[in-house]
Amino acid sequence: AQSVTQLDSQVPVFEEAPVELRCNYSSSVSVYLFWYVQYPNQGLQLLLKYLSGSTLVESINGFEAEFNKSQTSFHLRKPSVHISDTAEYFCAVMSNQAGTALIFGKGTTLSVSS
Amino acid sequence: ETGVTQSPTHLIKTRGQQVTLRCSSQSGHNTVSWYQQALGQGPQFIFQYYREEENGRGNFPPRFSGLQFPNYSSELNVNALELDDSALYLCASSSGTTRANVLTFGAGSRLTVL
């Protein structure tokens, strides 16, 4: 069965510092990988996705993630965070069993302070 | 282009009651998925509907049921509510059932069971 492990439940950082949110997955078949962000009292917003091709994917707001097949990881990084990046971040893998069902990790709370 | 809208935003029920949650999919989307997000957890897949038929189901009991209507809107029904059903219920729509179709999430309906 597929699963996703987010290694850190909370990550506190100072503004303008770099950050890495770690995600590992388990799957015996090819996967599609996603990062979603959830701001307080809002739904999930797609941050970036890996479907195929280049293993480094980028979002429009400066985040990037690298698909590493040998380490089964899809870590999210940003070289310099802003206060507005404070949110819950979810890593997800797309199931190969039920349509386009997503399997989510438990989430990482990113707290950016000044 | 309107996004995914869900109603009600908040509701309180007591054990044993029944609840119906509603979702309007994004314009042009014909597939709807429902997820349950318990406090402090990642979303868990309940089921997916495509062209008014169930197209995949997660590990949820039969008292969780759904409908999709010809206009692609959807309902999630939960019978015999239990305390553990307290959660944020997220609806997501997409333009198909292939793995490349990205899900767009609504803001959710927060259910509290007393």
mmCIF file with all atom_site columns, all heavy atoms in Angstrom, chain B residues 35-61:
data_model
loop_
_atom_site.group_PDB
_atom_site.id
_atom_site.type_symbol
_atom_site.label_atom_id
_atom_site.label_alt_id
_atom_site.label_comp_id
_atom_site.label_asym_id
_atom_site.label_entity_id
_atom_site.label_seq_id
_atom_site.pdbx_PDB_ins_code
_atom_site.Cartn_x
_atom_site.Cartn_y
_atom_site.Cartn_z
_atom_site.occupancy
_atom_site.B_iso_or_equiv
_atom_site.pdbx_formal_charge
_atom_site.auth_seq_id
_atom_site.auth_comp_id
_atom_site.auth_asym_id
_atom_site.auth_atom_id
_atom_site.pdbx_PDB_model_num
ATOM 1   N N   . TYR B 1 35 ? -13.086 14.197 0.973   1.00 0.00 ? 35 TYR B N   1
ATOM 2   C CA  . TYR B 1 35 ? -12.042 13.836 1.923   1.00 0.00 ? 35 TYR B CA  1
ATOM 3   C C   . TYR B 1 35 ? -12.475 14.238 3.328   1.00 0.00 ? 35 TYR B C   1
ATOM 4   O O   . TYR B 1 35 ? -13.169 15.236 3.513   1.00 0.00 ? 35 TYR B O   1
ATOM 5   C CB  . TYR B 1 35 ? -10.728 14.557 1.593   1.00 0.00 ? 35 TYR B CB  1
ATOM 6   C CG  . TYR B 1 35 ? -10.030 14.048 0.348   1.00 0.00 ? 35 TYR B CG  1
ATOM 7   C CD1 . TYR B 1 35 ? -10.446 14.430 -0.925  1.00 0.00 ? 35 TYR B CD1 1
ATOM 8   C CD2 . TYR B 1 35 ? -8.947  13.178 0.449   1.00 0.00 ? 35 TYR B CD2 1
ATOM 9   C CE1 . TYR B 1 35 ? -9.818  13.951 -2.063  1.00 0.00 ? 35 TYR B CE1 1
ATOM 10  C CE2 . TYR B 1 35 ? -8.308  12.700 -0.681  1.00 0.00 ? 35 TYR B CE2 1
ATOM 11  C CZ  . TYR B 1 35 ? -8.755  13.090 -1.929  1.00 0.00 ? 35 TYR B CZ  1
ATOM 12  O OH  . TYR B 1 35 ? -8.124  12.614 -3.055  1.00 0.00 ? 35 TYR B OH  1
ATOM 13  N N   . GLN B 1 36 ? -12.016 13.456 4.306   1.00 0.00 ? 36 GLN B N   1
ATOM 14  C CA  . GLN B 1 36 ? -12.239 13.769 5.713   1.00 0.00 ? 36 GLN B CA  1
ATOM 15  C C   . GLN B 1 36 ? -10.904 14.167 6.333   1.00 0.00 ? 36 GLN B C   1
ATOM 16  O O   . GLN B 1 36 ? -9.923  13.443 6.217   1.00 0.00 ? 36 GLN B O   1
ATOM 17  C CB  . GLN B 1 36 ? -12.785 12.553 6.447   1.00 0.00 ? 36 GLN B CB  1
ATOM 18  C CG  . GLN B 1 36 ? -13.057 12.793 7.936   1.00 0.00 ? 36 GLN B CG  1
ATOM 19  C CD  . GLN B 1 36 ? -13.231 11.497 8.709   1.00 0.00 ? 36 GLN B CD  1
ATOM 20  O OE1 . GLN B 1 36 ? -12.305 10.707 8.840   1.00 0.00 ? 36 GLN B OE1 1
ATOM 21  N NE2 . GLN B 1 36 ? -14.434 11.277 9.243   1.00 0.00 ? 36 GLN B NE2 1
ATOM 22  N N   . GLN B 1 37 ? -10.865 15.337 6.976   1.00 0.00 ? 37 GLN B N   1
ATOM 23  C CA  . GLN B 1 37 ? -9.637  15.782 7.639   1.00 0.00 ? 37 GLN B CA  1
ATOM 24  C C   . GLN B 1 37 ? -9.908  15.947 9.119   1.00 0.00 ? 37 GLN B C   1
ATOM 25  O O   . GLN B 1 37 ? -10.503 16.937 9.560   1.00 0.00 ? 37 GLN B O   1
ATOM 26  C CB  . GLN B 1 37 ? -9.137  17.100 7.031   1.00 0.00 ? 37 GLN B CB  1
ATOM 27  C CG  . GLN B 1 37 ? -7.798  17.543 7.600   1.00 0.00 ? 37 GLN B CG  1
ATOM 28  C CD  . GLN B 1 37 ? -7.277  18.834 6.999   1.00 0.00 ? 37 GLN B CD  1
ATOM 29  O OE1 . GLN B 1 37 ? -7.985  19.550 6.290   1.00 0.00 ? 37 GLN B OE1 1
ATOM 30  N NE2 . GLN B 1 37 ? -6.029  19.149 7.267   1.00 0.00 ? 37 GLN B NE2 1
ATOM 31  N N   . ALA B 1 38 ? -9.476  14.978 9.904   1.00 0.00 ? 38 ALA B N   1
ATOM 32  C CA  . ALA B 1 38 ? -9.597  15.084 11.361  1.00 0.00 ? 38 ALA B CA  1
ATOM 33  C C   . ALA B 1 38 ? -8.581  16.087 11.882  1.00 0.00 ? 38 ALA B C   1
ATOM 34  O O   . ALA B 1 38 ? -7.581  16.381 11.209  1.00 0.00 ? 38 ALA B O   1
ATOM 35  C CB  . ALA B 1 38 ? -9.385  13.717 11.991  1.00 0.00 ? 38 ALA B CB  1
ATOM 36  N N   . LEU B 1 39 ? -8.815  16.599 13.064  1.00 0.00 ? 39 LEU B N   1
ATOM 37  C CA  . LEU B 1 39 ? -7.951  17.614 13.645  1.00 0.00 ? 39 LEU B CA  1
ATOM 38  C C   . LEU B 1 39 ? -6.515  17.101 13.761  1.00 0.00 ? 39 LEU B C   1
ATOM 39  O O   . LEU B 1 39 ? -6.265  16.025 14.298  1.00 0.00 ? 39 LEU B O   1
ATOM 40  C CB  . LEU B 1 39 ? -8.486  18.015 15.022  1.00 0.00 ? 39 LEU B CB  1
ATOM 41  C CG  . LEU B 1 39 ? -7.933  19.317 15.607  1.00 0.00 ? 39 LEU B CG  1
ATOM 42  C CD1 . LEU B 1 39 ? -8.311  20.500 14.730  1.00 0.00 ? 39 LEU B CD1 1
ATOM 43  C CD2 . LEU B 1 39 ? -8.443  19.529 17.017  1.00 0.00 ? 39 LEU B CD2 1
ATOM 44  N N   . GLY B 1 40 ? -5.585  17.864 13.214  1.00 0.00 ? 40 GLY B N   1
ATOM 45  C CA  . GLY B 1 40 ? -4.176  17.485 13.304  1.00 0.00 ? 40 GLY B CA  1
ATOM 46  C C   . GLY B 1 40 ? -3.747  16.378 12.352  1.00 0.00 ? 40 GLY B C   1
ATOM 47  O O   . GLY B 1 40 ? -2.630  15.870 12.464  1.00 0.00 ? 40 GLY B O   1
ATOM 48  N N   . GLN B 1 41 ? -4.602  16.012 11.431  1.00 0.00 ? 41 GLN B N   1
ATOM 49  C CA  . GLN B 1 41 ? -4.290  14.944 10.481  1.00 0.00 ? 41 GLN B CA  1
ATOM 50  C C   . GLN B 1 41 ? -4.371  15.444 9.046   1.00 0.00 ? 41 GLN B C   1
ATOM 51  O O   . GLN B 1 41 ? -4.925  16.513 8.780   1.00 0.00 ? 41 GLN B O   1
ATOM 52  C CB  . GLN B 1 41 ? -5.279  13.785 10.659  1.00 0.00 ? 41 GLN B CB  1
ATOM 53  C CG  . GLN B 1 41 ? -5.299  13.185 12.052  1.00 0.00 ? 41 GLN B CG  1
ATOM 54  C CD  . GLN B 1 41 ? -4.005  12.487 12.394  1.00 0.00 ? 41 GLN B CD  1
ATOM 55  O OE1 . GLN B 1 41 ? -3.435  11.764 11.573  1.00 0.00 ? 41 GLN B OE1 1
ATOM 56  N NE2 . GLN B 1 41 ? -3.513  12.703 13.613  1.00 0.00 ? 41 GLN B NE2 1
ATOM 57  N N   . GLY B 1 42 ? -3.822  14.651 8.150   1.00 0.00 ? 42 GLY B N   1
ATOM 58  C CA  . GLY B 1 42 ? -3.985  14.946 6.738   1.00 0.00 ? 42 GLY B CA  1
ATOM 59  C C   . GLY B 1 42 ? -5.337  14.448 6.256   1.00 0.00 ? 42 GLY B C   1
ATOM 60  O O   . GLY B 1 42 ? -5.955  13.594 6.880   1.00 0.00 ? 42 GLY B O   1
ATOM 61  N N   . PRO B 1 43 ? -5.815  14.976 5.146   1.00 0.00 ? 43 PRO B N   1
ATOM 62  C CA  . PRO B 1 43 ? -7.094  14.513 4.593   1.00 0.00 ? 43 PRO B CA  1
ATOM 63  C C   . PRO B 1 43 ? -7.037  13.044 4.210   1.00 0.00 ? 43 PRO B C   1
ATOM 64  O O   . PRO B 1 43 ? -6.006  12.545 3.760   1.00 0.00 ? 43 PRO B O   1
ATOM 65  C CB  . PRO B 1 43 ? -7.270  15.393 3.341   1.00 0.00 ? 43 PRO B CB  1
ATOM 66  C CG  . PRO B 1 43 ? -6.423  16.594 3.591   1.00 0.00 ? 43 PRO B CG  1
ATOM 67  C CD  . PRO B 1 43 ? -5.246  16.091 4.369   1.00 0.00 ? 43 PRO B CD  1
ATOM 68  N N   . GLN B 1 44 ? -8.185  12.364 4.408   1.00 0.00 ? 44 GLN B N   1
ATOM 69  C CA  . GLN B 1 44 ? -8.308  10.956 4.012   1.00 0.00 ? 44 GLN B CA  1
ATOM 70  C C   . GLN B 1 44 ? -9.408  10.821 2.977   1.00 0.00 ? 44 GLN B C   1
ATOM 71  O O   . GLN B 1 44 ? -10.504 11.364 3.152   1.00 0.00 ? 44 GLN B O   1
ATOM 72  C CB  . GLN B 1 44 ? -8.625  10.081 5.216   1.00 0.00 ? 44 GLN B CB  1
ATOM 73  C CG  . GLN B 1 44 ? -7.443  9.856  6.146   1.00 0.00 ? 44 GLN B CG  1
ATOM 74  C CD  . GLN B 1 44 ? -7.724  8.743  7.129   1.00 0.00 ? 44 GLN B CD  1
ATOM 75  O OE1 . GLN B 1 44 ? -8.663  8.800  7.905   1.00 0.00 ? 44 GLN B OE1 1
ATOM 76  N NE2 . GLN B 1 44 ? -6.915  7.706  7.078   1.00 0.00 ? 44 GLN B NE2 1
ATOM 77  N N   . PHE B 1 45 ? -9.115  10.068 1.923   1.00 0.00 ? 45 PHE B N   1
ATOM 78  C CA  . PHE B 1 45 ? -10.040 9.897  0.811   1.00 0.00 ? 45 PHE B CA  1
ATOM 79  C C   . PHE B 1 45 ? -11.255 9.096  1.230   1.00 0.00 ? 45 PHE B C   1
ATOM 80  O O   . PHE B 1 45 ? -11.123 7.999  1.787   1.00 0.00 ? 45 PHE B O   1
ATOM 81  C CB  . PHE B 1 45 ? -9.301  9.185  -0.324  1.00 0.00 ? 45 PHE B CB  1
ATOM 82  C CG  . PHE B 1 45 ? -10.148 8.808  -1.506  1.00 0.00 ? 45 PHE B CG  1
ATOM 83  C CD1 . PHE B 1 45 ? -10.688 9.784  -2.331  1.00 0.00 ? 45 PHE B CD1 1
ATOM 84  C CD2 . PHE B 1 45 ? -10.385 7.481  -1.807  1.00 0.00 ? 45 PHE B CD2 1
ATOM 85  C CE1 . PHE B 1 45 ? -11.447 9.432  -3.438  1.00 0.00 ? 45 PHE B CE1 1
ATOM 86  C CE2 . PHE B 1 45 ? -11.139 7.118  -2.907  1.00 0.00 ? 45 PHE B CE2 1
ATOM 87  C CZ  . PHE B 1 45 ? -11.676 8.095  -3.726  1.00 0.00 ? 45 PHE B CZ  1
ATOM 88  N N   . ILE B 1 46 ? -12.455 9.648  0.950   1.00 0.00 ? 46 ILE B N   1
ATOM 89  C CA  . ILE B 1 46 ? -13.700 8.927  1.250   1.00 0.00 ? 46 ILE B CA  1
ATOM 90  C C   . ILE B 1 46 ? -14.186 8.221  -0.010  1.00 0.00 ? 46 ILE B C   1
ATOM 91  O O   . ILE B 1 46 ? -14.317 7.002  -0.029  1.00 0.00 ? 46 ILE B O   1
ATOM 92  C CB  . ILE B 1 46 ? -14.786 9.886  1.785   1.00 0.00 ? 46 ILE B CB  1
ATOM 93  C CG1 . ILE B 1 46 ? -14.294 10.621 3.025   1.00 0.00 ? 46 ILE B CG1 1
ATOM 94  C CG2 . ILE B 1 46 ? -16.069 9.100  2.090   1.00 0.00 ? 46 ILE B CG2 1
ATOM 95  C CD1 . ILE B 1 46 ? -15.260 11.678 3.544   1.00 0.00 ? 46 ILE B CD1 1
ATOM 96  N N   . PHE B 1 47 ? -14.512 8.983  -1.048  1.00 0.00 ? 47 PHE B N   1
ATOM 97  C CA  . PHE B 1 47 ? -14.899 8.409  -2.337  1.00 0.00 ? 47 PHE B CA  1
ATOM 98  C C   . PHE B 1 47 ? -14.853 9.482  -3.416  1.00 0.00 ? 47 PHE B C   1
ATOM 99  O O   . PHE B 1 47 ? -14.666 10.671 -3.145  1.00 0.00 ? 47 PHE B O   1
ATOM 100 C CB  . PHE B 1 47 ? -16.284 7.743  -2.306  1.00 0.00 ? 47 PHE B CB  1
ATOM 101 C CG  . PHE B 1 47 ? -17.366 8.504  -1.598  1.00 0.00 ? 47 PHE B CG  1
ATOM 102 C CD1 . PHE B 1 47 ? -17.701 9.803  -1.935  1.00 0.00 ? 47 PHE B CD1 1
ATOM 103 C CD2 . PHE B 1 47 ? -18.066 7.894  -0.572  1.00 0.00 ? 47 PHE B CD2 1
ATOM 104 C CE1 . PHE B 1 47 ? -18.704 10.481 -1.269  1.00 0.00 ? 47 PHE B CE1 1
ATOM 105 C CE2 . PHE B 1 47 ? -19.066 8.560  0.108   1.00 0.00 ? 47 PHE B CE2 1
ATOM 106 C CZ  . PHE B 1 47 ? -19.383 9.863  -0.250  1.00 0.00 ? 47 PHE B CZ  1
ATOM 107 N N   . GLN B 1 48 ? -15.017 8.981  -4.660  1.00 0.00 ? 48 GLN B N   1
ATOM 108 C CA  . GLN B 1 48 ? -14.996 9.853  -5.830  1.00 0.00 ? 48 GLN B CA  1
ATOM 109 C C   . GLN B 1 48 ? -16.190 9.518  -6.714  1.00 0.00 ? 48 GLN B C   1
ATOM 110 O O   . GLN B 1 48 ? -16.576 8.349  -6.834  1.00 0.00 ? 48 GLN B O   1
ATOM 111 C CB  . GLN B 1 48 ? -13.699 9.653  -6.618  1.00 0.00 ? 48 GLN B CB  1
ATOM 112 C CG  . GLN B 1 48 ? -13.573 10.521 -7.862  1.00 0.00 ? 48 GLN B CG  1
ATOM 113 C CD  . GLN B 1 48 ? -12.302 10.213 -8.631  1.00 0.00 ? 48 GLN B CD  1
ATOM 114 O OE1 . GLN B 1 48 ? -12.245 9.262  -9.411  1.00 0.00 ? 48 GLN B OE1 1
ATOM 115 N NE2 . GLN B 1 48 ? -11.284 11.020 -8.429  1.00 0.00 ? 48 GLN B NE2 1
ATOM 116 N N   . TYR B 1 49 ? -16.757 10.557 -7.339  1.00 0.00 ? 49 TYR B N   1
ATOM 117 C CA  . TYR B 1 49 ? -17.855 10.374 -8.273  1.00 0.00 ? 49 TYR B CA  1
ATOM 118 C C   . TYR B 1 49 ? -17.481 10.943 -9.628  1.00 0.00 ? 49 TYR B C   1
ATOM 119 O O   . TYR B 1 49 ? -16.920 12.043 -9.725  1.00 0.00 ? 49 TYR B O   1
ATOM 120 C CB  . TYR B 1 49 ? -19.131 11.046 -7.752  1.00 0.00 ? 49 TYR B CB  1
ATOM 121 C CG  . TYR B 1 49 ? -19.854 10.194 -6.761  1.00 0.00 ? 49 TYR B CG  1
ATOM 122 C CD1 . TYR B 1 49 ? -19.476 10.170 -5.424  1.00 0.00 ? 49 TYR B CD1 1
ATOM 123 C CD2 . TYR B 1 49 ? -20.899 9.364  -7.156  1.00 0.00 ? 49 TYR B CD2 1
ATOM 124 C CE1 . TYR B 1 49 ? -20.112 9.358  -4.517  1.00 0.00 ? 49 TYR B CE1 1
ATOM 125 C CE2 . TYR B 1 49 ? -21.550 8.546  -6.246  1.00 0.00 ? 49 TYR B CE2 1
ATOM 126 C CZ  . TYR B 1 49 ? -21.143 8.547  -4.929  1.00 0.00 ? 49 TYR B CZ  1
ATOM 127 O OH  . TYR B 1 49 ? -21.780 7.743  -4.022  1.00 0.00 ? 49 TYR B OH  1
ATOM 128 N N   . TYR B 1 50 ? -17.823 10.175 -10.665 1.00 0.00 ? 50 TYR B N   1
ATOM 129 C CA  . TYR B 1 50 ? -17.577 10.594 -12.044 1.00 0.00 ? 50 TYR B CA  1
ATOM 130 C C   . TYR B 1 50 ? -18.825 10.273 -12.838 1.00 0.00 ? 50 TYR B C   1
ATOM 131 O O   . TYR B 1 50 ? -19.264 9.126  -12.862 1.00 0.00 ? 50 TYR B O   1
ATOM 132 C CB  . TYR B 1 50 ? -16.357 9.869  -12.605 1.00 0.00 ? 50 TYR B CB  1
ATOM 133 C CG  . TYR B 1 50 ? -16.112 10.069 -14.084 1.00 0.00 ? 50 TYR B CG  1
ATOM 134 C CD1 . TYR B 1 50 ? -15.790 11.328 -14.588 1.00 0.00 ? 50 TYR B CD1 1
ATOM 135 C CD2 . TYR B 1 50 ? -16.191 9.003  -14.976 1.00 0.00 ? 50 TYR B CD2 1
ATOM 136 C CE1 . TYR B 1 50 ? -15.555 11.516 -15.934 1.00 0.00 ? 50 TYR B CE1 1
ATOM 137 C CE2 . TYR B 1 50 ? -15.958 9.189  -16.326 1.00 0.00 ? 50 TYR B CE2 1
ATOM 138 C CZ  . TYR B 1 50 ? -15.638 10.441 -16.799 1.00 0.00 ? 50 TYR B CZ  1
ATOM 139 O OH  . TYR B 1 50 ? -15.396 10.634 -18.141 1.00 0.00 ? 50 TYR B OH  1
ATOM 140 N N   . ARG B 1 51 ? -19.395 11.292 -13.461 1.00 0.00 ? 51 ARG B N   1
ATOM 141 C CA  . ARG B 1 51 ? -20.609 11.109 -14.252 1.00 0.00 ? 51 ARG B CA  1
ATOM 142 C C   . ARG B 1 51 ? -21.672 10.360 -13.462 1.00 0.00 ? 51 ARG B C   1
ATOM 143 O O   . ARG B 1 51 ? -22.272 9.403  -13.948 1.00 0.00 ? 51 ARG B O   1
ATOM 144 C CB  . ARG B 1 51 ? -20.284 10.383 -15.554 1.00 0.00 ? 51 ARG B CB  1
ATOM 145 C CG  . ARG B 1 51 ? -19.432 11.222 -16.494 1.00 0.00 ? 51 ARG B CG  1
ATOM 146 C CD  . ARG B 1 51 ? -19.224 10.561 -17.836 1.00 0.00 ? 51 ARG B CD  1
ATOM 147 N NE  . ARG B 1 51 ? -18.483 11.428 -18.743 1.00 0.00 ? 51 ARG B NE  1
ATOM 148 C CZ  . ARG B 1 51 ? -18.130 11.095 -19.971 1.00 0.00 ? 51 ARG B CZ  1
ATOM 149 N NH1 . ARG B 1 51 ? -18.448 9.920  -20.456 1.00 0.00 ? 51 ARG B NH1 1
ATOM 150 N NH2 . ARG B 1 51 ? -17.453 11.945 -20.728 1.00 0.00 ? 51 ARG B NH2 1
ATOM 151 N N   . GLU B 1 52 ? -21.872 10.799 -12.240 1.00 0.00 ? 52 GLU B N   1
ATOM 152 C CA  . GLU B 1 52 ? -22.947 10.340 -11.348 1.00 0.00 ? 52 GLU B CA  1
ATOM 153 C C   . GLU B 1 52 ? -22.756 8.924  -10.816 1.00 0.00 ? 52 GLU B C   1
ATOM 154 O O   . GLU B 1 52 ? -23.643 8.384  -10.146 1.00 0.00 ? 52 GLU B O   1
ATOM 155 C CB  . GLU B 1 52 ? -24.314 10.457 -12.046 1.00 0.00 ? 52 GLU B CB  1
ATOM 156 C CG  . GLU B 1 52 ? -24.642 11.864 -12.514 1.00 0.00 ? 52 GLU B CG  1
ATOM 157 C CD  . GLU B 1 52 ? -25.970 11.956 -13.248 1.00 0.00 ? 52 GLU B CD  1
ATOM 158 O OE1 . GLU B 1 52 ? -26.996 11.579 -12.658 1.00 0.00 ? 52 GLU B OE1 1
ATOM 159 O OE2 . GLU B 1 52 ? -25.974 12.403 -14.418 1.00 0.00 ? 52 GLU B OE2 1
ATOM 160 N N   . GLU B 1 53 ? -21.592 8.316  -11.061 1.00 0.00 ? 53 GLU B N   1
ATOM 161 C CA  . GLU B 1 53 ? -21.327 6.974  -10.551 1.00 0.00 ? 53 GLU B CA  1
ATOM 162 C C   . GLU B 1 53 ? -20.129 7.016  -9.598  1.00 0.00 ? 53 GLU B C   1
ATOM 163 O O   . GLU B 1 53 ? -19.159 7.768  -9.838  1.00 0.00 ? 53 GLU B O   1
ATOM 164 C CB  . GLU B 1 53 ? -21.017 6.009  -11.695 1.00 0.00 ? 53 GLU B CB  1
ATOM 165 C CG  . GLU B 1 53 ? -22.156 5.793  -12.671 1.00 0.00 ? 53 GLU B CG  1
ATOM 166 C CD  . GLU B 1 53 ? -23.273 4.946  -12.088 1.00 0.00 ? 53 GLU B CD  1
ATOM 167 O OE1 . GLU B 1 53 ? -22.982 4.105  -11.212 1.00 0.00 ? 53 GLU B OE1 1
ATOM 168 O OE2 . GLU B 1 53 ? -24.429 5.119  -12.514 1.00 0.00 ? 53 GLU B OE2 1
ATOM 169 N N   . GLU B 1 54 ? -20.177 6.191  -8.555  1.00 0.00 ? 54 GLU B N   1
ATOM 170 C CA  . GLU B 1 54 ? -19.024 6.108  -7.661  1.00 0.00 ? 54 GLU B CA  1
ATOM 171 C C   . GLU B 1 54 ? -17.853 5.482  -8.424  1.00 0.00 ? 54 GLU B C   1
ATOM 172 O O   . GLU B 1 54 ? -17.998 4.424  -9.037  1.00 0.00 ? 54 GLU B O   1
ATOM 173 C CB  . GLU B 1 54 ? -19.358 5.271  -6.426  1.00 0.00 ? 54 GLU B CB  1
ATOM 174 C CG  . GLU B 1 54 ? -18.256 5.309  -5.370  1.00 0.00 ? 54 GLU B CG  1
ATOM 175 C CD  . GLU B 1 54 ? -18.627 4.557  -4.096  1.00 0.00 ? 54 GLU B CD  1
ATOM 176 O OE1 . GLU B 1 54 ? -19.485 5.037  -3.346  1.00 0.00 ? 54 GLU B OE1 1
ATOM 177 O OE2 . GLU B 1 54 ? -18.043 3.473  -3.880  1.00 0.00 ? 54 GLU B OE2 1
ATOM 178 N N   . ASN B 1 55 ? -16.696 6.128  -8.318  1.00 0.00 ? 55 ASN B N   1
ATOM 179 C CA  . ASN B 1 55 ? -15.539 5.735  -9.119  1.00 0.00 ? 55 ASN B CA  1
ATOM 180 C C   . ASN B 1 55 ? -14.320 5.488  -8.243  1.00 0.00 ? 55 ASN B C   1
ATOM 181 O O   . ASN B 1 55 ? -13.211 5.823  -8.585  1.00 0.00 ? 55 ASN B O   1
ATOM 182 C CB  . ASN B 1 55 ? -15.229 6.837  -10.145 1.00 0.00 ? 55 ASN B CB  1
ATOM 183 C CG  . ASN B 1 55 ? -14.080 6.484  -11.055 1.00 0.00 ? 55 ASN B CG  1
ATOM 184 O OD1 . ASN B 1 55 ? -14.012 5.388  -11.584 1.00 0.00 ? 55 ASN B OD1 1
ATOM 185 N ND2 . ASN B 1 55 ? -13.138 7.398  -11.225 1.00 0.00 ? 55 ASN B ND2 1
ATOM 186 N N   . GLY B 1 56 ? -14.531 4.933  -7.089  1.00 0.00 ? 56 GLY B N   1
ATOM 187 C CA  . GLY B 1 56 ? -13.431 4.667  -6.166  1.00 0.00 ? 56 GLY B CA  1
ATOM 188 C C   . GLY B 1 56 ? -13.863 5.030  -4.768  1.00 0.00 ? 56 GLY B C   1
ATOM 189 O O   . GLY B 1 56 ? -14.603 6.002  -4.566  1.00 0.00 ? 56 GLY B O   1
ATOM 190 N N   . ARG B 1 57 ? -13.414 4.254  -3.789  1.00 0.00 ? 57 ARG B N   1
ATOM 191 C CA  . ARG B 1 57 ? -13.822 4.473  -2.408  1.00 0.00 ? 57 ARG B CA  1
ATOM 192 C C   . ARG B 1 57 ? -12.661 4.149  -1.493  1.00 0.00 ? 57 ARG B C   1
ATOM 193 O O   . ARG B 1 57 ? -11.920 3.189  -1.718  1.00 0.00 ? 57 ARG B O   1
ATOM 194 C CB  . ARG B 1 57 ? -15.012 3.570  -2.074  1.00 0.00 ? 57 ARG B CB  1
ATOM 195 C CG  . ARG B 1 57 ? -15.634 3.850  -0.728  1.00 0.00 ? 57 ARG B CG  1
ATOM 196 C CD  . ARG B 1 57 ? -16.840 2.950  -0.473  1.00 0.00 ? 57 ARG B CD  1
ATOM 197 N NE  . ARG B 1 57 ? -17.454 3.274  0.809   1.00 0.00 ? 57 ARG B NE  1
ATOM 198 C CZ  . ARG B 1 57 ? -18.461 4.135  0.952   1.00 0.00 ? 57 ARG B CZ  1
ATOM 199 N NH1 . ARG B 1 57 ? -18.982 4.730  -0.104  1.00 0.00 ? 57 ARG B NH1 1
ATOM 200 N NH2 . ARG B 1 57 ? -18.964 4.397  2.144   1.00 0.00 ? 57 ARG B NH2 1
ATOM 201 N N   . GLY B 1 58 ? -12.505 4.945  -0.466  1.00 0.00 ? 58 GLY B N   1
ATOM 202 C CA  . GLY B 1 58 ? -11.491 4.706  0.546   1.00 0.00 ? 58 GLY B CA  1
ATOM 203 C C   . GLY B 1 58 ? -12.031 3.795  1.638   1.00 0.00 ? 58 GLY B C   1
ATOM 204 O O   . GLY B 1 58 ? -13.089 3.195  1.513   1.00 0.00 ? 58 GLY B O   1
ATOM 205 N N   . ASN B 1 59 ? -11.304 3.721  2.741   1.00 0.00 ? 59 ASN B N   1
ATOM 206 C CA  . ASN B 1 59 ? -11.649 2.811  3.826   1.00 0.00 ? 59 ASN B CA  1
ATOM 207 C C   . ASN B 1 59 ? -12.655 3.452  4.783   1.00 0.00 ? 59 ASN B C   1
ATOM 208 O O   . ASN B 1 59 ? -12.341 3.729  5.942   1.00 0.00 ? 59 ASN B O   1
ATOM 209 C CB  . ASN B 1 59 ? -10.374 2.406  4.558   1.00 0.00 ? 59 ASN B CB  1
ATOM 210 C CG  . ASN B 1 59 ? -10.626 1.312  5.572   1.00 0.00 ? 59 ASN B CG  1
ATOM 211 O OD1 . ASN B 1 59 ? -11.552 0.532  5.418   1.00 0.00 ? 59 ASN B OD1 1
ATOM 212 N ND2 . ASN B 1 59 ? -9.809  1.268  6.602   1.00 0.00 ? 59 ASN B ND2 1
ATOM 213 N N   . PHE B 1 60 ? -13.853 3.691  4.298   1.00 0.00 ? 60 PHE B N   1
ATOM 214 C CA  . PHE B 1 60 ? -14.911 4.272  5.121   1.00 0.00 ? 60 PHE B CA  1
ATOM 215 C C   . PHE B 1 60 ? -16.123 3.341  5.088   1.00 0.00 ? 60 PHE B C   1
ATOM 216 O O   . PHE B 1 60 ? -16.398 2.711  4.068   1.00 0.00 ? 60 PHE B O   1
ATOM 217 C CB  . PHE B 1 60 ? -15.298 5.659  4.596   1.00 0.00 ? 60 PHE B CB  1
ATOM 218 C CG  . PHE B 1 60 ? -14.349 6.739  5.042   1.00 0.00 ? 60 PHE B CG  1
ATOM 219 C CD1 . PHE B 1 60 ? -13.154 6.943  4.383   1.00 0.00 ? 60 PHE B CD1 1
ATOM 220 C CD2 . PHE B 1 60 ? -14.652 7.540  6.130   1.00 0.00 ? 60 PHE B CD2 1
ATOM 221 C CE1 . PHE B 1 60 ? -12.256 7.916  4.803   1.00 0.00 ? 60 PHE B CE1 1
ATOM 222 C CE2 . PHE B 1 60 ? -13.773 8.523  6.553   1.00 0.00 ? 60 PHE B CE2 1
ATOM 223 C CZ  . PHE B 1 60 ? -12.568 8.714  5.891   1.00 0.00 ? 60 PHE B CZ  1
ATOM 224 N N   . PRO B 1 61 ? -16.875 3.265  6.197   1.00 0.00 ? 61 PRO B N   1
ATOM 225 C CA  . PRO B 1 61 ? -18.013 2.342  6.266   1.00 0.00 ? 61 PRO B CA  1
ATOM 226 C C   . PRO B 1 61 ? -19.157 2.799  5.369   1.00 0.00 ? 61 PRO B C   1
ATOM 227 O O   . PRO B 1 61 ? -19.211 3.955  4.945   1.00 0.00 ? 61 PRO B O   1
ATOM 228 C CB  . PRO B 1 61 ? -18.407 2.388  7.748   1.00 0.00 ? 61 PRO B CB  1
ATOM 229 C CG  . PRO B 1 61 ? -17.922 3.711  8.226   1.00 0.00 ? 61 PRO B CG  1
ATOM 230 C CD  . PRO B 1 61 ? -16.668 3.996  7.464   1.00 0.00 ? 61 PRO B CD  1
#
